[in-house]
Amino acid sequence: MAFQSTSTATSITSTTIRHNMTASMPTTERTPLLEGVKVGQMTTDAVELACSKKARQGPREILRSTRYGILAGIWAATFLSSLNMTLVATLLPSISSEFQKSNQASWLGTAYLLATCTFTPLYGRLCNVMGRRGANQAAVLFAALGTLACGLSRDMNTLIIARFIGGLGGGGIFTTATIITSDLYSLRSRGLTQGIASVFNGLGMGLGGPLGGFISDRLGWRWAFLLQMPLFVISLTLTSINLHYVTPGKSKSTMDVLRRIDYGGSLALLGSVLSFLFFLSNRYNSGRESAIFQIDDPTVIVPLVVAGVLFLTFVVWELYIAAEPMLAPFLLKQKIPVVVGISNFLVAHCNFAVTYFFPMWFQTVMLTSASEAGLHLLPNCVSMSVGSMFAGWVMHRTGKYKMLNLIFGLFPFIATVLITRMRPDSGPITLWFSIIPLGFGNAVVLQTMLIALLAHIPPDAMAVGTGFGQLFRGIGQVAGVGVASAIFQYFLDNELKQRFTDPGSDEASIVAVILIARIRHSAKLVATLPLDQQAEARASYQIALHTVFAVASASTLLAYLVRLLIPEKDLNEPPAAEAAGIQSASSESGAEPTASSSTSTVIGPSPSETPFDSDDDEVAPVLQKRRSARRLSTFTSSDGGMDLENDRTGGSARR
């Protein structure tokens, strides 16, 4: 197999030489029939060889039960990581009301997403420094530690820090799981396996809201975090027992790989986004009575200036200094990657703004329980899973992506318009099903944009291209929660002041200010107010939330217009670099290029091969007659899995 180690290969060669020498000697009655066997007992060399082969199995050589144990371990962690991305959406009123910090509740979402965005790219290289098991278990441990700290937190600041620690591992879980799956399966089989993995991902994101609300109503919000710990233990146990395979030796040393990690870029991006979030929080979420243009307060202007300086530092570092920048400069010079990046940012902004504030609408305007508010996110989860599978199936069948995007890319805009028109007296169809086009459309868009990006870059830059798109998407997720929270708090504050402030009485004004502060700091307080005040508070929340949804609607519409610049490309046609490689291989082998080799890029084994056992990554497609296959479809390939040291897909970010 392709993954035999050098020492094992040397041992096999020595054994073969001894066997040949023995075969050439005359055979007598005293000559053993089996070389290396003495009185029914194996020699030391044979034992060492057998142990070496067992201990150094490659990922395609392990037993099926071992492979399934690995998948169960990494998918359990994937489910938990996805769960924690949306879990707090229905916990925000309960948590913020207990700590009286409702105006700071957005940090619970942005802290997790910020850590995921800035530290996820590091795990692609750490997989080759620490090994697959080391990198995966490090990510799981960070996620478990952060989740446990969330459940034990006694104040809002500790809880925010705990969420950040959880995010350090949450993003790494996705990356390491993708790389491990790429090790275990051939390209043809990998699409199905990644499809199953996406089910766990979608299930976690979909159940986060409903499950969090259900547990919060019955056991308290802390148990929504603490009950995850057994699954983290199961994940670590399964990977500890099963994840021991070895990967091919890398041409780069450990120190060389460590030097290629973009530490400066990660820290500059983290500082820039974090400073901007502090600006938004201090300016709009603090509850102070400053006008929108008065930003001369040091606590407001300083974070904004620092954010700008660090962002410029990040750009300069990525363009001119970093050895392997996570924001690949050569992709910034191409139209398609930049357009895809902008689209990913806007789509993620819309998706997370709605996801985090949709349950709040039901809890503060409709006065429902957290359980029922979370259930309203479930249709979005189902539609996302269906949309993702549908997009992959259509691209697999047609080899096209543009028409798919043109039709279904409008669905999120339609959904946000419907959500903006929701009223307390709206019927159940509006309340439950308005969000469905959002999940379906965004799933189709994200799938088609990934395929469009990979179809327009060289094959050996797939990991770099995937990371490029994920970076824009991650920043969009942080902005979706942070910016939406600032908009929500600003309009909520204005509406409450207009409805409760009495300019004719100083005493009444003081009471109103106190009441407004209490409403802003505790979303659950709305249900306990007298009916006349409750109606005004509900109306204020309704207008503020509708503004958030309107901004999300504008974001997804702008994303649709930007995507019009992306041309169609037949997914059956190989990239120029790949076609040149096929032509060169044909010339060297002396074979005439066939029609199929010049018109399609074949991925996977021939129909007669066993998909789960073949090693088609190492076989030149020009040497075998194979049927045509769709390129880059989610049903046939999930290449570009963030393994930046992979010679086949992990090309340099600086060209």
Side-chain angles (χ1 to χ4, degrees), residues 485-500:
S485 176
I487 294 172
F488 168 73
Q489 289 292 338
Y490 175 76
F491 280 91
L492 176 63
D493 187 52
N494 279 349
E495 290 296 324
L496 290 173
K497 287 176 181 177
Q498 292 178 13
R499 296 172 188 274
F500 288 98

Side-chain angles (χ1 to χ4, degrees), residues 258-272:
L258 289 175
R259 282 194 294 266
R260 288 155 59 88
I261 294 178
D262 189 9
Y263 302 105
S266 298
L267 293 177
L269 179 63
L270 173 65
S272 177

Side-chain angles (χ1 to χ4, degrees), residues 26-249:
T27 304
T28 66
E29 292 182 356
R30 300 183 64 86
T31 303
L33 294 177
L34 294 176
E35 175 67 19
V37 177
K38 295 183 179 180
V39 195
Q41 183 177 357
M42 297 180 68
T43 64
T44 303
D45 290 344
V47 172
E48 290 179 354
L49 174 61
C51 292
S52 176
K53 290 179 66 178
K54 181 178 180 180
R56 297 178 178 274
Q57 287 179 320
R60 311 282 175 85
E61 301 168 348
I62 60 178
L63 296 175
R64 180 177 297 180
S65 59
T66 303
R67 182 182 294 116
Y68 291 166
I70 294 172
L71 293 177
I74 62 176
W75 286 347
T78 298
F79 170 78
L80 293 175
S81 183
S82 301
L83 186 80
N84 280 298
M85 293 184 74
T86 58
L87 181 70
V88 299
T90 49
L91 300 181
L92 291 179
S94 300
I95 295 173
S96 58
S97 297
E98 177 175 330
F99 295 138
Q100 295 296 305
K101 296 286 185 178
S102 182
N103 58 312
Q104 296 181 9
S106 65
W107 280 99
L108 300 179
T110 55
Y112 187 91
L113 296 172
L114 177 60
T116 299
C117 167
T118 52
F119 288 94
T120 293
L122 304 182
Y123 283 91
R125 300 196 188 280
L126 289 179
C127 274
N128 299 295
V129 174
M130 304 173 62
R132 299 328 195 217
R133 184 179 62 167
N136 177 259
Q137 292 191 337
V140 174
L141 284 173
F142 272 120
L145 179 62
T147 303
L148 178 62
C150 285
L152 301 178
S153 297
R154 296 302 175 189
D155 56 72
M156 181 64 87
N157 292 333
T158 304
L159 185 58
I160 292 172
I161 294 173
R163 286 285 292 171
F164 184 85
I165 295 173
L168 291 178
I173 287 173
F174 288 119
T175 301
T176 55
T178 302
I179 293 174
I180 290 170
T181 305
S182 300
D183 289 340
L184 293 176
Y185 292 104
S186 64
L187 291 174
R188 185 179 182 87
S189 303
R190 203 178 302 160
L192 176 61
T193 310
Q194 292 283 21
I196 300 174
S198 68
V199 172
F200 284 90
N201 184 14
L203 194 64
M205 292 192 69
L207 291 179
L211 195 59
F214 179 83
I215 296 174
S216 178
D217 283 344
R218 286 156 180 79
L219 301 175
W221 64 266
R222 297 181 185 278
W223 286 100
F225 296 105
L226 296 177
L227 288 177
Q228 299 180 45
M229 301 315 297
L231 274 180
F232 279 117
V233 174
I234 291 174
S235 173
L236 287 170
T237 302
L238 288 172
T239 52
S240 296
I241 294 173
N242 298 289
L243 189 51
H244 293 284
Y245 66 79
V246 294
T247 51

Side-chain angles (χ1 to χ4, degrees), residues 128 248-257 260 645-647:
N128 299 295
K250 302 294 179 183
S251 59
K252 305 177 183 65
S253 66
T254 297
M255 291 305 299
D256 187 23
V257 174
R260 288 155 59 88
E645 304 302 327
N646 187 298
D647 293 333

Side-chain angles (χ1 to χ4, degrees), residues 6-18 45 48-49 52:
T6 304
S7 59
T8 302
T10 304
S11 300
I12 294 174
T13 304
S14 301
T15 303
T16 304
I17 293 174
R18 290 200 305 268
D45 290 344
E48 290 179 354
L49 174 61
S52 176

